[in-house]
């Protein structure tokens, strides 16, 4: 495929600082203003120059080096852009500017502020390096966006959406010998999977066994059905549970996803610790490895390519997809079929309200902006049946300012407790997400405080594992660390006596191994050793349980109850597996298992 500019492979976010150096050139160590042995081409003087520009969430500070008159290094020193979105856009643009030795770059749609911050930051630094006006603003515009140059393409399998379900399906289909294309509407892969914690529930994993945890497929099914109020599609739950271990082995052996061997997490609603955690405790590890594998297998992945319509023939069989790329309508023909893996609709307020008026604009969301239910709408347009659309999950512990899920707040699973504005405990912190979320929004303030001490921090080291997020919360005055409980209460103006009494009562209550007051599940740990932590949290919409009805083969079912030929769906875009409420760690199990199953059946 020919594109105007070489398509950059997606460089996945490190969520921390990143540094890009031009091949074959050494970054210079000279700093701006120092005397330099300037080799001047394009008016640029050798040296390293700093700049700072406002991004979406705060300042983006960067350093640009010039060597032999060319940009030789771009380093983002600090930023607070959205993980998996803004930071990824900045990485892509940095690589593009470096490769082309040009700053005349297009912003990446969906990450305009972060794009402008990096482009203008590099321009600011190069201005200090003596760049001419012409160098900064003229020449051919460079773009990180995939531009397709044909109006029609044909593949065996078309996968819509490059999140966890889509990439799992694409790899599996390619492993089975199919020619595969993945259409992704944003400029990067990953969807909500990328910004998730990546935990995946696997009954019988090597990590469970090594930790002496007894589990079974039956227990997993029982917990999942209980969590979903038993309205789940029991057949589909059975398929997910029975194929979980195989999916895990595939991730480990075929895809080379690395999981932490010393960590197994028990998310709310599970009767035993069951979730294995990828290194980095982020979905990034899985997405990065799936994408690498898909490339190895020759899958074509087109970013900035939005599927808009399913194409059906005279027998109502799906034969392709219309998509939009760079303003052009492109036809993709599918010889075998189409797999819809576009994720949920948590970021589409209008659609949320259509199916459940409670989740209006008052709720922020943890979802990526691309979660707008496109696949559900496209499937419904050709007669697909939708199920459980009213069940929208809210995640209890999110950033009260941005809505983004907090991973530091996963200290809850290690023992942290929730306290309200009156300094009182009010809910079993290990209960279901919907119950905890409703309990929080029922408090006068509509938010709560998560509190923990050293006994809990040392278990999961959440403030270290998620250090960047921790610092952001601290800088936004949403999290405070102190040597005493009194200081924590003072920081948020909570009644000190009430706060300290509640924690002391909790410590005494659980001394006998059970929480008599609120019957908290999971491992109980006291909050008696400093330093202590307090974090302000509130619920955001997180997962949409409803979606396209599928059968155990992953085939899409019509409103009349028939199979729609050649149309499959997998992941959050489908409904039925999670019933009224999805348990933590079950989304990743669902997307990998069902993505693979759809692809296996389609390529059979
Ligand atoms: P899942 O967990 O089910 O895999 P994700 O949210 O991780 O869902 O991924 C869904 C992906 O689908 C996202 O990368 C999103 O940008 C993409 N997507 C959504 N709508 C479209 C569309 N109309 N065309 C192409 N890609 C889409």
């Amino acid at each position: 495929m020919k594109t105007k500019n070489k398509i950059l492979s997606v460089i996945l976010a490190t969520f921390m600082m990143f540094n890009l150096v031009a091949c074959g050139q050494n970054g210079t160590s000279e700093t701006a203003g120092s005397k330099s042995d300037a080799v001047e081409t394009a008016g640029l003087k050798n040296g390293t120059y700093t700049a700072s520009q406002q991004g979406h969430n705060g300042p983006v500070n960067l350093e640009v080096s010039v060597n032999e008159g060319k940009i030789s290094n771009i380093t983002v020193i600090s930023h607070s852009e959205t993980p998996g979105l803004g930071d990824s856009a900045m990485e892509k643009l940095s690589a593009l500017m470096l490769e082309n030795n040009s700053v005349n770059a297009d912003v990446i749609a969906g990450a305009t502020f972060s794009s402008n911050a990096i482009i203008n930051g590099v321009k600011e630094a190069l201005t200090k390096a003596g760049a001419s006006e012409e160098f900064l603003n003229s020449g051919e515009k460079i773009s990180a966006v995939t531009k397709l140059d044909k109006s029609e393409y044909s593949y065996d399998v078309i996968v819509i959406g490059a999140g966890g379900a889509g990439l799992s399906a694409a790899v599996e289909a390619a492993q089975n010998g199919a020619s595969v294309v993945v259409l992704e509407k944003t400029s990067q892969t990953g969807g909500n999977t990328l910004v998730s914690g990546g935990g995946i529930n696997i009954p019988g994993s090597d990590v469970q066994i090594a930790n002496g945890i007894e589990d079974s497929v039956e227990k997993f099914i029982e917990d999942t059905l209980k969590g979903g109020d038993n309205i789940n599609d029991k057949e589909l739950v059975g398929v997910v549970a029975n194929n979980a271990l195989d999916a895990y082995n595939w991730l480990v052996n075929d895809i080379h996803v690395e999981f932490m061997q010393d960590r197994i997490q028990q998310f709310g609603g599970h009767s035993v610790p069951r979730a294995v955690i990828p290194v980095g405790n982020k979905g990034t590890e899985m997405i990065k490895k799936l994408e690498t594998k898909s490339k190895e297998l020759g899958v074509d992945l087109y970013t900035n390519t939005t599927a808009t319509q399913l194409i059906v023939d005279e027998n109502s069989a799906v034969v392709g997809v219309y998509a939009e790329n760079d303003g052009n309508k492109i036809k993709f023909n599918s010889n075998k079929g189409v797999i819809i893996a576009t994720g949920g609709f948590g970021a589409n307020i209008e659609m949320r309200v259509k199916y459940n008026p409670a989740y209006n604009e008052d709720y922020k969301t943890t979802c990526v902006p691309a979660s707008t239910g496109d696949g559900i709408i496209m499937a419904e347009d050709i007669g697909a049946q939708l199920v459980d659309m009213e069940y929208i999950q809210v995640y209890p512990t999110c950033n009260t300012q941005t809505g983004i899920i907090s991973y530091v707040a996963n200290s809850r699973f290690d023992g942290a407790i929730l306290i309200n504005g009156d300094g009182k405990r009010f809910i079993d912190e290990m209960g279901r997400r919907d119950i905890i979320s409703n309990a929080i929004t029922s408090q006068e303030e509509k938010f709560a405080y998560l509190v923990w001490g050293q006994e809990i921090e040392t278990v999961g080291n959440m403030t270290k594992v998620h250090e960047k997020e921790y610092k952001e919360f601290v800088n936004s005055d949403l999290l405070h660390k102190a040597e005493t409980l009194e200081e924590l209460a003072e920081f948020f103006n909570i009644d000190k006596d009430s706060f300290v009494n509640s924690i002391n009562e909790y410590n005494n209550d659980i001394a006998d191994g059970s929480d008599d007051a609120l019957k908290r599940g999971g491992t109980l740990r006291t909050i008696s050793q400093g330093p202590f932590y307090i974090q302000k949290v509130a619920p955001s919409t997180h997962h949409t349980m409803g979606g396209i009805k599928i059968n155990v083969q992953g085939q899409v079912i019509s409103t009349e109850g028939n199979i729609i030929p050649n149309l499959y769906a997998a992941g959050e875009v489908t409904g039925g597996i999670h019933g009224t409420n999805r348990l933590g760690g079950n989304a990743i199990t669902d997307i990998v298992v069902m993505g693979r199953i759809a692809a296996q059946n389609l390529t059979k």
Side-chain angles (χ1 to χ4, degrees), residues 309-312 316-318 340 376-385 556 558-560 564-565 567:
Q309 194 189 340
L310 296 164
I311 307 170
V312 288
S316 303
V318 172
I340 306 176
I376 296 176
I377 296 165
M378 283 186 278
E380 193 185 21
D381 277 350
I382 64 154
Q385 193 181 140
V556 173
S558 74
T559 45
E560 280 92 41
I564 299 182
L567 185 62

Side-chain angles (χ1 to χ4, degrees), residues 167-179:
L167 289 175
S168 297
V171 169
E172 182 72 40
Q175 283 181 320
N176 293 351
S179 65

